[in-house]
Amino acid sequence: MLEPGAPRHDLSISVPRGLTRLGLSAKLLLVTVLFVMLAEVLIYVPSIANFRRNWLNDRIAAAQVAALVLEGAPEDGLPEGSENRLLMGVGARAIAARVGGARRLLSLDSMPPPEVSRSVDLRQLDWWTSIREAVAVLVAPAPMPIRVVGEAVGGADFVEIVIDEAPLRRAMLKFSWSLLLISLLLIGLTALAVYVALNSLIVEPIRRLAANVMEFEAEPENPQRIIAPSHRADEIGEAERALARMQMTLAGELRTKKHLAELGLAVSKINHDLRNMLAAAQLMSDQLVETRDAKIRRFAPRLIATLGRAIEFCQATLAYGRAAEATPTIRPVALRQLVAEQAELLGLSEIGQLSFENQVPAELVAPCDPDQMARVLTNLMRNAVQALTQAGAEPGSRPTLTVTGAAAGGAVTLRVIDNGPGVPQRAQANLFQAFRGSVTPGGTGLGLAVAAELVRLHGGTIALEPAPVGAVFRISLPLRRNGH
């Protein structure tokens, strides 16, 4: 239950079905058609302007024939009826030509020449003006005839005609319909070809990626849901391979975390019972203090302290699944004595084949939590003992475990050194990660992971130092905390 006012986080990222009805293929087809239509519009506008120019040039060319006739006509004009036939052949209401400085006129109307709505000079017509006037003919045709001026041949200076714009507009509309039908055919064929090509090259692979992601989302731990990358060398192929790598990594991490969760539950149950058994053992060990045996009485306090520490460790382990390690209680600790206690607990003095050297100065003191630092030293020293007893030391040397310590640069440094086989290269990358950094066969790697976490809680660092022989683990603890 959420408290009033608490933010609500919707973890679902699925898009409602209503928003995905127009799929990627339909969007691709729509965009393709729109851009092809835009291209056709850009082609149509100059095409219709060029059609109008050519149509007018054809009329001027026909008028030039009439101009030649006028040029060779007698002074008293052409025979009766010839002028009308010339004008009807050109399709003009009037034809005028300047020949030798004199202006000759043919007209269906009586003098003066008919009025015109606008003039078109083909000799000085640029493309922009031609496009603008062509659009004007289609949108708002002239109510009265128009005047067209063009170049002449022969002895004439120029030829001009007066024509009705209606035939021109009808011709332009007919051309537009023809161009529209051709454009629609081209649009359909182009859009279909682009759609088929892009759908097979891009859309279908993307759909495959999306479908695989949704299937993997439903069962991320199922290795059968991991995508099988194609052999494409383009960006989609790279995306498939990257997705496969990510899914493999994520599936492995999820399986590991699931195992950890199950293990954590089992450990919690075991620790609960183990804590009760250790508590009973602690009660019985209290009676050893009253024994008369001096040796037993000497070891009894340490046994009781060890049992108490084990009980506290079980309690901390139970809390580990709920939170992190407890905040360390910092106080000055004599490190040589702490190292000696851990060596005695590990029974190093009783192992005849293994030599132990405590080279930590007696005066070396570090601010730390003694219980947590004891756990760190125990994990590192136990790993060294296991490596030396299982694999032995380098040829010609006696297995030796050495712990050194020094203070320098505002920090205390401890080194746990052994002359065993060292840490394998394959284990160094994940050395301080639980269940991934195990050095010994069959190990879990929990010891080093816990040690690293405890050292980090102290504000220090832990690392594996390069060494020609064996393994050297360095622990650095700051002498000052929070600036004090």
Side-chain angles (χ1 to χ4, degrees), residues 384 387 401-402 416-423 464-473:
L401 171 61
T402 305
V416 180
I417 307 168
D418 67 74
N419 59 348
V423 179
L464 175 68
E465 290 188 342
V469 176
V472 179
F473 284 90

Side-chain angles (χ1 to χ4, degrees), residues 404-416:
T404 65
V412 173
T413 301
L414 291 175
R415 285 181 172 83
V416 180

